[in-house]
């Protein structure tokens, strides 16, 4: 089934991709019902042919960027195009928060399950650690990605972390 869907989208099973998972915050809104509108926004951000998009559920989707070759993008370009897409999605679907999780580690399509789980973890931790950031990078989460902390405890930990970050003498230590 995965091979068939990949072929329909023009996605190679052998190529490496940068994975971006995105979600919105309204459980009652099914993004798949607005497929055409979302795809138009996707195209107007200049993501085709560099990126391909698919919907995974009512609240989330995935974008794949080729990691190598003539249509691949650099990290800065991916960040810029995602920021533009996020902004357009927020304007189009007012009152909804759209958050993106990027992992720049190239993976094949056969590893998509791992990439989706990594993206979900990035969104879960990143929304608490960086509440104002809408495009989250897995690498920016550092040691937090190794921990499996319940949400409430994570919030408390990050409050303490934030307090420590205000003192200059603690920043370098915490960053390390």
């Amino acid at each position: 089934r995965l091979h068939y869907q990949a072929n329909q989208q023009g996605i190679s099973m052998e190529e490496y991709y940068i994975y971006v998972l995105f979600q919105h915050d309204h459980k009652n809104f099914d993004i798949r019902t607005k497929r055409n509108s979302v795809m138009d926004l996707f195209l107007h951000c200049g993501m085709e042919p560099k990126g391909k998009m698919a919907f995974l559920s009512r609240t989330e989707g995935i974008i794949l960027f080729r990691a190598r070759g003539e249509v691949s993008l650099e990290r800065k370009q991916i960040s810029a195009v995602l920021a533009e897409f996020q902004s357009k999605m927020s304007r189009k679907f007012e009152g909804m928060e759209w958050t993106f999780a990027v992992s720049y580690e190239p993976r094949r399509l056969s590893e998509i399950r791992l990439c989706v789980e990594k993206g979900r973890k990035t969104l879960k931790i990143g929304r608490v650690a960086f509440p104002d950031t809408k495009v989250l990078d897995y690498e920016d989460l550092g040691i937090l990605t190794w921990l499996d902390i319940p949400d409430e405890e994570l919030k408390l930990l990050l409050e303490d972390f934030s307090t420590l970050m205000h003192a200059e003498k603690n920043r370098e230590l915490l960053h390390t």
Side-chain angles (χ1 to χ4, degrees):
R1 182 175 165 188
L2 181 61
H3 288 281
Y4 174 77
Q5 289 180 356
N7 285 335
Q8 293 297 312
Q9 293 283 333
I11 299 171
S12 169
M13 295 294 290
E14 300 305 314
E15 285 192 54
Y16 286 86
Y17 296 94
I18 303 297
Y19 288 82
V20 180
L21 185 74
F22 65 95
Q23 293 179 345
H24 66 75
D25 63 342
H26 282 56
K27 300 288 183 218
N28 295 327
F29 177 76
D30 188 345
I31 190 175
R32 298 169 296 190
T33 64
K34 302 294 183 185
R35 178 180 306 272
N36 291 339
S37 296
V38 174
M39 291 304 287
D40 283 344
L41 293 174
F42 184 77
L43 295 173
H44 284 94
C45 291
M47 290 206 211
E48 277 280 329
K50 300 164 189 97
K52 301 289 183 182
M53 182 173 52
F55 300 101
L56 302 176
S57 70
R58 353 174 12 93
T59 60
E60 65 185 6
I62 194 164
I63 300 170
L64 301 126
F65 290 104
R66 287 192 177 146
R68 300 183 180 113
E70 60 191 51
V71 293
S72 64
L73 295 173
E74 297 296 321
R75 182 175 268 204
K76 282 184 180 179
Q77 293 171 306
I78 291 173
S79 293
V81 80
L82 288 176
E84 180 184 355
F85 186 52
Q86 189 279 334
S87 175
K88 287 183 179 196
M89 293 285 280
S90 294
R91 283 194 307 269
K92 176 74 175 177
F93 303 101
E94 289 183 35
M96 296 180 74
E97 187 173 297
W98 298 87
T99 313
F100 295 73
V102 185
S103 176
Y104 289 100
E105 181 182 358
R107 297 282 189 165
R108 286 193 166 121
L109 194 60
S110 60
E111 299 174 284
I112 193 169
R113 183 180 307 263
L114 170 73
C115 296
V116 169
E117 290 307 315
K118 193 175 191 178
R120 287 177 180 152
K121 186 172 193 172
T122 302
L123 290 171
K124 177 184 173 189
I125 295 169
R127 283 181 177 136
V128 176
F130 307 104
D132 297 328
T133 303
K134 301 304 174 206
V135 179
L136 301 160
D137 184 338
Y138 178 81
E139 292 177 15
D140 290 343
L141 300 179
I143 194 170
L144 294 174
T145 60
W146 300 346
L147 307 173
D148 191 17
I149 304 171
D151 289 343
E152 289 305 313
E153 290 179 34
L154 180 63
K155 287 178 185 175
L156 293 172
L157 173 72
L158 290 172
E159 285 173 11
D160 291 342
F161 184 81
S162 177
T163 303
L164 289 171
M165 283 296 285
H166 291 300
E168 184 67 37
K169 65 181 182 178
N170 297 329
R171 285 191 191 134
E172 187 175 333
L173 175 64
L174 290 172
H175 184 71
T176 306

